[in-house]
Amino acid sequence: MRRWVKVSVAAAVVLGVGGYVAEPYAQDWLLARDACDGTLPPDALEQLTPEDAHLRDETSHLHEGLGSYSCRLTAEEAEDGTGDDGRLVVGMEAYTRRDDQDREFMSIFPEEGFSPQASLPEGLPGFIDKYHDINFLLPCPDLGKDAEGRQRKLLVRMSLGREANHGAPGAAYRMAVALANGASDRLGCGAEPLRAPAGDAVPPDPERDAETVPLSEAKDTACGWMAGAGLPQDQGLRVAAAVNDAAPTGRCDLTDRDGKSALSLVAWYGDWSNRLTSRDGVPRSLTATARCDGEAAGYALGTSDDIPGVGEAVQRRLLKEFAEDQVRRRGCSGLRFF
């Protein structure tokens, strides 16, 4: 019998005989029902909970004046005694203030901003970061504009425990979408509700699961411009496309024949990206900037390995083609190169 079916049956029986709720399955049912103010989809939660683990605790914190909301659901500690405070099943943090959002982006993209990332299915306004968190950045029409005339937004970050079944078909995306929609409601954002992607998509690991195609076949990807960029065709180069036109960041990577990243082109959207294209007010080399939806956009090229025939002149051309492709896709203006 499935976990949450057993939970609901046990809860109904236990609660019906005097309100006693210490029975583990009844406790599971109550925690699952109440966690994150009741927004967790039961089927996805069942799939993401560690096998044979009972739930332990749920917490949520809403600070309307500070524009923040968080919730967390944990399971009992592991058999080896680790996890004194419980094992994370799912956690979420959401912010509508720019300072909080900038802090989160700085943790995801420190230094020059070439942190591992993966794209979400097209249409979802977000990305997967180096911590494996699913991030959404949503416009908040009900919150108006900030003091600088920028549309206020909602940043939502969802984390899954290390023991959660990340490979559960479709479950992580259903959970993330439900939490984002719930956070929008709780914080008065008014964002258009997200819809989970159809099918059994599983979030990739940004550092290990990048899907690549041969350079000659890249034209059908979101980094299709690379196929006609004049790159050497005899070195086994492959393209990894992590671009989603609705997301606040994306990248096109070139990998060598062994799958190691050799060259990366990254885009960041929002005024938080200013620090990634300059240092102390001086533009970094091999970067570009533009204006998109009234805010800054930044583009940069980085290399981790020499590619024969791809010197600085070719790299500058690649940055130009990448940035121009992004500007066309997003309807941006004022593109400048450094």
Side-chain angles (χ1 to χ4, degrees), residues 151-303:
Q151 173 64 57
R152 294 182 66 187
K153 298 178 181 180
L154 170 67
L155 175 65
V156 179
R157 298 187 68 183
M158 186 201 77
S159 304
L160 296 175
R162 286 180 295 178
E163 294 187 46
N165 183 3
H166 290 72
Y173 288 133
R174 293 197 302 275
M175 181 67 73
V177 164
L179 284 168
N181 291 338
S184 175
D185 291 341
R186 297 287 285 168
L187 291 171
C189 171
E192 186 72 23
L194 298 178
R195 297 181 61 181
D200 297 333
V202 175
D205 181 327
E207 297 184 272
R208 295 187 300 179
D209 298 337
E211 182 177 346
T212 65
V213 298
L215 178 61
S216 60
E217 300 175 15
K219 63 181 179 179
D220 294 327
T221 72
C223 301
W225 61 271
M226 277 188 163
L231 289 163
Q233 299 286 330
D234 60 350
Q235 297 183 30
L237 295 176
R238 300 179 68 87
V239 174
V243 176
N244 174 340
D245 292 341
T249 180
R251 62 190 290 164
C252 294
D253 285 359
L254 269 182
T255 66
D256 61 23
R257 65 177 74 251
D258 296 323
K260 296 180 180 178
S261 177
L263 182 149
S264 299
L265 291 143
V266 186
W268 311 284
Y269 294 95
D271 288 341
W272 60 271
S273 68
N274 283 325
R275 64 182 176 80
L276 299 175
T277 55
S278 65
R279 176 177 293 169
D280 298 326
V282 179
R284 297 178 187 269
S285 179
L286 291 173
T287 63
T289 61
R291 299 293 294 177
C292 304
D293 292 327
E295 292 194 50
Y299 312 95
L301 181 147
T303 59

Side-chain angles (χ1 to χ4, degrees), residues 1 3-15 25 29:
M1 185 182 296
R3 175 198 303 271
W4 301 115
V5 174
K6 289 193 291 185
V7 168
S8 60
V9 170
V13 172
V14 172
L15 292 174
Y25 284 123
W29 179 76

